Amino acid sequence: MYQVGIFGEKLSHSLSPVFQNVAFKYCQIPALYEVWEFSKDELYERVNLLRKPNSLGANVTIPYKELAYDMVDDLDETAKQIGAINTIVNNSGKLKGYNTDVSGFIRSLKEIASFDPTGKNVLILGAGGAARAAIFGLVNQKVNSITVANRTVDRAVKLINDFGVDQEIFSILSVYDEKISEISLKSDLIINATSVGMKHSSMEFESLLSPDQIPANCVVYDIVYNPLITPLLKSAQEAGAEIIQGLWMLIFQGVDSFELWTGKSAPVQNMYQKAMEHFKSLG
Ligand code: ATR
C-alpha cells in the first residue's frame, strides 16, 4: 500500500482525504491519503519520512508551506518563484516541491470556464496568501493588467512589490474606493480572495460588489468555498456573468498533486462530486 497525506497544524476539516481517496480508488491505485497533524518541531523529521519506498509524497498546508520549501531536494520553477510549496513528490528517495495552488488555479479557469487569462484584464479583491497564488499564476499567463483592491492598501503595495515583472501591469486601490465600479465594469475576470462572504464570519452575507458593478461578459471567481454560492457569486449570477465556485480551486490543486504523484489523469468530476457531497453533509 502506498502512503500519501497532508501536513498541517489544524486539519480536522480538511476535504483533501475525501476527494484524494476517491481518485486513488477510481484509478485502482493501492494508496491511502491520510491526515498528518503535528507541530512545527516535527516537520523536518516528517519530511524525511517521505523518502520511504512506499511513500508517494505529501500535500503541505498552513503554516508549513514556506518551511517545507527549504527542506526538499529540488523545486519546480513556479514553486521557486513563489517561495512556498503545497506538494512534495517522492522520486525514489529524492523529494521535489511544487506549488499546485498556482497551477491548479490557472487550470480551473481554463477547464471550468474555458477562460484563457493571456491578454485579459483582472480585478482581484484581497492581498493575502490566496491573492498571492492567483496573481503568480496570472502573471505567468501574461495577463494584460491586474488591479489589486484591498481593505489595507499598504498590504497590496507590499504584495505587488514581490513580483519581478513590469510593475505597469498593476494598479492598486482600496476595496471601498468608489472608482472600483469603473474598473470592475472593464474586467474580464473578477476574483474574490478576501474572506468576505465566508460562512460563520461577520461578513457572511456581504458582497464587495453588487450586480450593477459586474459586467455580464466576465467570469467571477470566489475563492471562498463555504458557502458554495457566496453573496458575490449570487451578484454575478444576477448580472448574467459566468461563475466559478471556490471549491474548484481546492479540487484543482488536488488534481494537479494527484497527477504529479501518480502520473495518471485525475477523475476531476468524481473528486468534485465527492467533495460536494461530503461538504453538504456537514451542513
Ligand atoms: P488568505 O491566506 O486566505 O488570503 P489572509 O492572508 O488572512 O487569508 O487574507 C485575507 C484577505 O481578506 C485580506 O486581503 C484581508 O484584507 P486586509 O489585508 O485589509 O486584512 C481581506 N479581508 C478580511 N476581512 C475583510 C473585510 N471585512 N473587508 C474587506 N476585506 C477583508
Side-chain angles (χ1 to χ4, degrees):
M1 193 80 163
Y2 292 111
Q3 268 189 336
V4 62
I6 181 164
F7 287 169
E9 214 174 42
K10 289 190 201 97
L11 297 172
S12 58
H13 299 295
S14 175
L15 281 175
S16 294
V18 174
F19 58 76
Q20 291 291 359
N21 282 322
V22 155
F24 285 118
K25 204 167 160 193
Y26 182 90
C27 294
Q28 298 182 321
I29 297 166
L32 181 66
Y33 187 105
E34 297 175 298
V35 167
W36 294 321
E37 219 178 70
F38 51 81
S39 60
K40 193 168 134 189
D41 49 354
E42 274 181 57
L43 184 63
Y44 184 75
E45 182 191 332
R46 293 288 191 138
V47 168
N48 277 327
L49 283 173
L50 298 176
R51 299 176 200 279
K52 289 186 306 186
N54 72 331
S55 156
L56 297 178
N59 275 138
V60 183
T61 191
I62 296 161
Y64 300 141
K65 291 184 185 190
E66 285 83 14
L67 287 170
Y69 175 93
D70 290 322
M71 296 179 184
V72 290
D73 307 310
D74 192 10
L75 290 160
D76 145 88
E77 265 322 298
T78 308
K80 248 185 232 172
Q81 281 179 340
I82 196 166
I85 58 173
N86 78 322
T87 304
I88 300 174
V89 176
N90 178 27
N91 298 314
S92 313
K94 277 203 113 191
L95 303 180
K96 183 164 179 177
Y98 295 82
N99 195 307
T100 69
D101 291 328
V102 175
S103 59
F105 175 73
I106 296 299
R107 194 167 158 191
S108 68
L109 280 172
K110 293 184 175 174
E111 293 191 22
I112 301 305
S114 306
F115 184 88
D116 177 3
T118 308
K120 300 296 198 309
N121 299 309
V122 183
L123 168 62
I124 179 153
L125 312 168
R132 195 176 145 84
I135 295 172
F136 261 98
L138 293 166
V139 164
N140 283 345
Q141 293 289 307
K142 306 214 175 335
V143 288
N144 183 57
S145 71
I146 302 182
T147 302
V148 183
N150 201 43
R151 179 178 59 179
T152 314
V153 172
D154 269 3
R155 197 170 177 204
V157 173
K158 282 205 190 84
L159 176 63
I160 67 154
N161 281 340
D162 267 8
F163 291 86
V165 291
D166 186 357
Q167 290 283 317
E168 278 184 10
I169 71 162
F170 294 111
S171 324
I172 287 172
L173 81 166
S174 158
V175 83
Y176 297 116
D177 190 320
E178 280 173 11
K179 285 198 209 95
I180 202 160
S181 298
E182 220 174 281
I183 291 153
S184 64
L185 288 169
K186 284 190 204 141
S187 299
D188 303 301
L189 172 66
I190 298 171
I191 303 160
N192 176 43
T194 73
S195 46
V196 175
M198 199 180 274
K199 206 168 184 170
H200 308 309
S201 76
S202 59
M203 302 285 277
E204 178 172 356
F205 303 107
E206 308 289 324
S207 166
L208 290 170
L209 297 174
S210 54
D212 61 324
Q213 293 176 300
I214 300 172
N217 61 349
C218 90
V219 173
V220 178
Y221 199 146
D222 201 329
I223 283 171
V224 171
Y225 65 87
N226 187 7
L228 291 166
I229 304 290
T230 61
L232 173 68
L233 293 182
K234 276 191 193 136
S235 295
Q237 282 174 326
E238 230 175 276
E242 183 162 3
I243 65 160
I244 309 180
Q245 299 171 10
L247 189 57
W248 283 115
M249 183 166 176
L250 186 65
I251 294 292
F252 271 96
Q253 62 76 35
V255 162
D256 274 4
S257 299
F258 179 87
E259 294 185 353
L260 287 166
W261 292 322
T262 65
K264 298 237 183 334
S265 281
V268 177
Q269 288 300 331
N270 296 53
M271 292 164 84
Y272 175 81
Q273 215 50 44
K274 189 73 187 176
M276 207 164 64
E277 278 166 27
H278 180 83
F279 186 70
K280 283 185 170 166
S281 75
L282 301 174

